[in-house]
Amino acid sequence: MQISRGSTDYRIYRTLSEKPASGEELGRELGITRTAVWKAVQKLKENGIQIESDASGYRIIGEKELNPYMVARIAFENGFDEIHFYDVTDSTNTRAREYGKPSVLFFANRQTAGRGRYGRRWLSDEGGLYFSITLSPPLDYSDLPKLTLIAGLSVAESVPETEIKWPNDVLIHGRKVCGILSELHGEVERPLLIIGIGINVENPAPENGISVSELFDMSRKEVFELVLRNFSKNYQKLLSGSWDELRREIEKRCSTIGKKVRVIMPSGVIEGVAESIAEDGSLVVDGRKIHVGDCIHLR
Ligand code: BTN
């Protein structure tokens, strides 16, 4: 389902999530009839929002699990204009590419064809977080990889005891908790960047992976809200010219630095010691800048 900021159902949800209200009050606030309010309330109920109504009006009860409207509220508070919520879809990155517009967040409870980098699969069972955001930032083409790096930073800032594995995996105690798949779409003059984020939260993690809930008492809602808030903060920082501050923070949290690594690049394989993250976001290995590649920590 699709939710936009100005839709009647979303506006009613927003008001009711703050305080109970009567049909009359809601109608007055939104400038619509009580029948239109009633219809919107039915739509909210059909989409899993528990709403109690009595003589004094409507109230939302027991919102524990992430629901489409909660996802929308968090997304809108962090600068997105539209959300597409799926109980199940093939891949949120594919949905984002097909829609082709910026400032949209695609969210799924499950994916049947979750994709990782280099054609790998991303297991997407119930309990994990799977979402993609679309951006068309006012930046040079060569700056776009920085956005993928700040997505990884934002996840690392949201979950305790994490480290970044260059370019954008997030690990807890050396085991992968989050993967990021960035894809470019559209014309070179106005590219659409799709950043797909998968986080193991309450789902059983695949082999060599780890789920947040194995170590911390954090819900999907908490993790999702923190990641979006941190991403929006870091995105604003990037746009306001503070890349160097972000780069240093990424470097500080990046466990690749100082390690012997093997990087498999489109042009060949390099082994050496990872020294730093360069000004352009590339990884410096034995003095050589690596822009893209699959990085393996050797020791
Ligand atoms: C990787 O580690 O190789 C990247 C994994 C990215 C997974 C996320 S889940 C949401 C979005 N939809 C996808 O199909 N993939 C990304």
Side-chain angles (χ1 to χ4, degrees):
M1 71 178 295
Q2 199 171 321
I3 304 176
S4 56
R5 207 189 277 269
S7 65
T8 306
D9 46 332
Y10 177 71
R11 291 173 67 203
I12 289 187
Y13 169 80
R14 273 258 38 187
T15 308
L16 289 180
S17 61
E18 272 157 25
K19 56 172 183 0
S22 69
E24 203 180 320
E25 283 166 336
L26 289 167
R28 212 178 317 121
E29 200 176 308
L30 272 71
I32 55 173
T33 63
R34 279 171 63 179
T35 318
V37 170
W38 183 85
K39 275 196 189 143
V41 167
Q42 296 317 303
K43 184 167 175 194
L44 292 174
K45 285 184 177 170
E46 277 160 26
N47 287 296
I49 313 296
Q50 285 181 283
I51 299 179
E52 228 175 41
S53 44
D54 58 24
S56 67
Y58 302 107
R59 78 176 67 235
I60 292 181
I61 46 165
E63 267 200 302
K64 284 190 208 86
E65 274 301 302
L66 260 181
N67 64 54
Y69 291 91
M70 216 190 262
V71 168
R73 180 183 59 73
I74 296 169
F76 297 157
E77 281 171 4
N78 288 290
F80 294 91
D81 293 331
E82 203 176 306
I83 79 128
H84 294 219
F85 185 101
Y86 307 89
D87 186 37
V88 54
T89 191
D90 49 359
S91 153
T92 53
N93 266 40
T94 307
R95 296 276 73 76
R97 196 177 60 212
E98 276 178 14
Y99 196 63
K101 284 193 200 153
S103 202
V104 185
L105 186 142
F106 297 80
F107 185 103
N109 282 334
R110 278 176 300 142
Q111 298 181 119
T112 52
R115 293 188 277 118
R117 296 170 76 220
Y118 305 104
R120 295 182 192 122
R121 282 196 63 197
W122 184 261
L123 285 180
S124 310
D125 295 335
E126 187 118 34
L129 278 171
Y130 316 105
F131 60 98
S132 303
I133 56 185
T134 60
L135 301 164
S136 195
L139 294 171
D140 283 347
Y141 200 78
S142 59
D143 283 331
L144 298 182
K146 294 177 182 170
L147 278 161
T148 316
L149 291 170
I150 70 164
L153 170 65
S154 309
V155 176
E157 287 174 330
S158 304
V159 181
E161 298 178 29
T162 44
E163 59 197 77
I164 299 170
K165 174 169 167 278
W166 185 89
N168 44 42
D169 284 349
V170 181
L171 317 179
I172 299 182
H173 306 167
R175 289 156 71 195
K176 184 156 164 171
V177 68
C178 162
I180 297 175
L181 175 67
S182 286
E183 295 178 304
L184 268 175
H185 186 58
E187 283 112 54
V188 182
E189 307 83 64
R190 194 107 187 101
L192 182 75
L193 179 65
I194 301 167
I195 305 179
I197 303 182
I199 310 175
N200 300 319
V201 185
E202 294 165 32
N203 54 315
E207 226 183 54
N208 302 324
I210 191 165
S211 290
V212 175
S213 64
E214 287 177 45
L215 293 180
F216 310 108
D217 184 19
M218 283 180 94
S219 65
R220 285 163 85 224
K221 174 176 180 270
E222 256 174 293
V223 175
F224 179 67
E225 191 155 16
L226 283 169
V227 171
L228 277 208
R229 213 185 291 157
N230 284 322
F231 183 79
S232 150
K233 171 197 79 180
N234 291 329
Y235 183 51
Q236 290 315 318
K237 266 195 194 168
L238 180 69
L239 295 188
S240 64
S242 303
W243 162 245
D244 206 52
E245 191 190 317
L246 293 163
R247 186 188 61 79
R248 274 184 273 122
E249 190 57 35
I250 293 165
E251 207 172 49
K252 203 170 86 190
R253 290 174 179 270
C254 182
S255 63
T256 308
I257 308 302
K259 284 211 169 69
K260 176 127 198 261
V261 295
R262 176 182 302 135
V263 189
I264 304 155
M265 304 171 292
S267 57
V269 180
I270 178 175
E271 271 190 28
V273 176
E275 291 162 356
S276 59
I277 308 269
E279 177 354 86
D280 60 1
S282 58
L283 182 71
V284 182
V285 178
D286 287 349
R288 193 174 150 192
K289 281 181 170 185
I290 315 290
H291 293 275
V292 276
D294 198 13
C295 176
I296 300 159
H297 289 177
L298 297 176
R299 62 182 140 80

